[in-house]
Amino acid sequence: MNILLATDFTEAAKHAINCIHQITQTWTSRKEIHFTLVHGFKPHVPYSNTPSIPVYYDPSLKSSLQQKLEHEKGSLQFTMQVDTLFEEGPLPLVIESAVKNKKADLIVMGTRQKSAFERVTVGSNTAEVMQKVNTPILAIPLEAKCKQMKSVVLTSDLESINIDHIHFIKKWLQDNHAQLKILHVSDKDKNHETLIKKTAMHHHFSETMHEHHFVYNNDPIAGIQEYIGKEKPDLLIALPRDKNFFQKLFHISVTEDMVYHTQIPILILP
């Protein structure tokens, strides 16, 4: 498996890299995993931390960031097989290129929640990557605890599911020795048992140990957040039909404190 580790040298990126390292420690395919640290270099930087201030060209920045990337690689080589990819351009475009060149099977990205501005920028990066590639993305919030993913929740809208996604989920469950819970969110109580038996998803997971869970809410995102807050699973697997799904799920209103906002890793299958 080829895994891309997106890094901007922030605590969020370091946390995500540390988490995927810990998660894959017990995988039977551990020796077959190859990691690539990916950094998208922007030669123009702002005069200050204020986004509205004009930018200037810093010729020494490229060399400094390359050294940072190699230093980060050096600190990881003792525990994982890793190389680096350093390219000029916005991170989503650099990752899109890396996915093709490295034949990546998974992209790991950190997300941070310290401020509204950071949440918007990081969330937008991940959402844009999701639109550009068809590779699974593991988004790990800075607040998420690094632990084995024994309890996995898959969101379902009872629509058809890509067979490649089925294979990926089954392999993920096997590697993590995880239990699968399929979450259905609807605005009213329906005859779910009859509906589920008619779906391709039910057929594909018939030989995989799993449970079906139901939440009634007219807002699917709020329903997912409610379930996560109550059940506290280790991972959410999302099959977003709506490209704004990630932003809706990860964004917290500046004025409203959402009790059930997501603080667990999300595996996005575009």
Side-chain angles (χ1 to χ4, degrees), residues 1 27 104-109 126-127 129-139 149 152-157 159-173 176 180-182 201 204-205 235-246 249-250 265-270:
M1 176 181 276
W27 288 13
D105 302 295
L106 177 67
I107 302 164
V108 177
M109 302 184 71
T126 309
V129 171
M130 186 178 76
Q131 293 175 14
K132 290 185 176 298
V133 303
N134 291 317
T135 304
I137 302 167
L138 180 62
M149 298 177 174
V152 173
V153 174
L154 169 64
T155 61
S156 168
D157 57 7
E159 297 294 334
S160 61
I161 182 171
N162 188 307
I163 191 64
D164 291 334
H165 290 162
I166 293 289
H167 292 322
F168 190 92
I169 292 169
K170 286 184 175 181
K171 181 67 166 57
W172 185 276
L173 294 172
N176 289 280
L180 178 65
K181 299 174 182 179
I182 302 177
M201 181 180 290
H204 288 307
F205 286 114
L235 175 72
L236 173 69
I237 300 179
L239 303 164
R241 320 281 178 188
D242 177 3
K243 290 300 184 181
N244 293 321
F245 174 91
F246 180 85
L249 189 61
F250 261 90
I266 299 180
L267 179 60
I268 305 166
L269 303 181

Side-chain angles (χ1 to χ4, degrees), residues 5 32 59 86 207 255:
L5 308 174
E32 300 170 7
F86 183 92
E207 296 181 0
T255 59

Side-chain angles (χ1 to χ4, degrees), residues 141-208:
L142 182 58
E143 295 82 356
K145 295 180 180 179
C146 295
K147 59 180 179 179
Q148 292 300 312
M149 298 177 174
K150 300 295 185 183
S151 175
V152 173
V153 174
L154 169 64
T155 61
S156 168
D157 57 7
L158 297 179
E159 297 294 334
S160 61
I161 182 171
N162 188 307
I163 191 64
D164 291 334
H165 290 162
I166 293 289
H167 292 322
F168 190 92
I169 292 169
K170 286 184 175 181
K171 181 67 166 57
W172 185 276
L173 294 172
Q174 181 181 2
D175 282 335
N176 289 280
H177 308 286
Q179 177 186 9
L180 178 65
K181 299 174 182 179
I182 302 177
L183 176 63
H184 309 271
V185 181
S186 64
D187 58 355
K188 58 184 178 179
D189 190 351
K190 299 177 181 177
N191 187 351
H192 288 101
E193 186 174 351
T194 301
L195 290 173
I196 290 168
K197 287 181 179 179
K198 294 180 180 179
T199 63
M201 181 180 290
H202 178 73
H203 170 73
H204 288 307
F205 286 114
S206 60
E207 296 181 0
T208 301

Side-chain angles (χ1 to χ4, degrees), residues 28-266:
T28 54
S29 59
R30 170 69 183 179
K31 292 182 180 179
E32 300 170 7
I33 299 175
H34 186 90
F35 296 94
T36 302
L37 277 169
V38 181
H39 179 72
F41 162 63
K42 295 181 181 179
H44 294 83
V45 297
Y47 282 101
S48 74
N49 291 328
T50 305
S52 60
I53 299 298
V55 297
Y56 76 101
Y57 181 75
D58 183 356
S60 66
L61 184 60
K62 182 175 182 179
S63 176
S64 173
L65 291 175
Q66 282 180 314
Q67 290 176 13
K68 268 191 173 184
L69 193 63
E70 289 303 316
H71 176 75
E72 194 161 321
K73 172 186 175 181
S75 65
L76 295 172
Q77 279 184 314
F78 295 104
T79 55
M80 61 173 70
Q81 183 183 1
V82 59
D83 60 16
T84 60
L85 181 64
F86 183 92
E87 288 188 7
E88 183 174 327
L91 182 61
L93 292 179
V94 171
I95 289 180
E96 182 182 19
S97 173
V99 165
K100 296 175 183 176
N101 294 334
K102 298 291 183 178
K103 296 184 170 131
D105 302 295
L106 177 67
I107 302 164
V108 177
M109 302 184 71
T111 65
R112 51 189 185 266
Q113 302 181 359
K114 290 182 179 179
S115 72
F117 174 70
E118 286 179 329
R119 175 177 286 276
V120 168
T121 54
V122 177
S124 297
N125 252 347
T126 309
E128 189 174 345
V129 171
M130 186 178 76
Q131 293 175 14
K132 290 185 176 298
V133 303
N134 291 317
T135 304
I137 302 167
L138 180 62
I140 303 179
L142 182 58
E143 295 82 356
K145 295 180 180 179
C146 295
K147 59 180 179 179
Q148 292 300 312
M149 298 177 174
K150 300 295 185 183
S151 175
V152 173
V153 174
L154 169 64
T155 61
S156 168
D157 57 7
L158 297 179
E159 297 294 334
S160 61
I161 182 171
N162 188 307
I163 191 64
D164 291 334
H165 290 162
I166 293 289
H167 292 322
F168 190 92
I169 292 169
K170 286 184 175 181
K171 181 67 166 57
W172 185 276
L173 294 172
Q174 181 181 2
D175 282 335
N176 289 280
H177 308 286
Q179 177 186 9
L180 178 65
K181 299 174 182 179
I182 302 177
L183 176 63
H184 309 271
V185 181
S186 64
D187 58 355
K188 58 184 178 179
D189 190 351
K190 299 177 181 177
N191 187 351
H192 288 101
E193 186 174 351
T194 301
L195 290 173
I196 290 168
K197 287 181 179 179
K198 294 180 180 179
T199 63
M201 181 180 290
H202 178 73
H203 170 73
H204 288 307
F205 286 114
S206 60
E207 296 181 0
T208 301
M209 188 175 295
H210 67 278
E211 302 173 355
H212 291 276
H213 291 231
F214 306 96
V215 171
Y216 303 108
N217 196 308
N218 57 9
D219 182 346
I221 301 299
I224 293 170
Q225 290 170 329
E226 176 186 348
Y227 179 86
I228 291 172
K230 289 180 179 178
E231 301 298 329
K232 296 179 172 54
D234 301 321
L235 175 72
L236 173 69
I237 300 179
L239 303 164
R241 320 281 178 188
D242 177 3
K243 290 300 184 181
N244 293 321
F245 174 91
F246 180 85
Q247 291 170 302
K248 291 177 182 177
L249 189 61
F250 261 90
H251 281 53
I252 295 178
S253 169
V254 177
T255 59
E256 180 182 2
D257 181 17
M258 296 179 66
V259 178
Y260 299 120
H261 65 271
T262 305
Q263 292 183 337
I264 64 170
I266 299 180

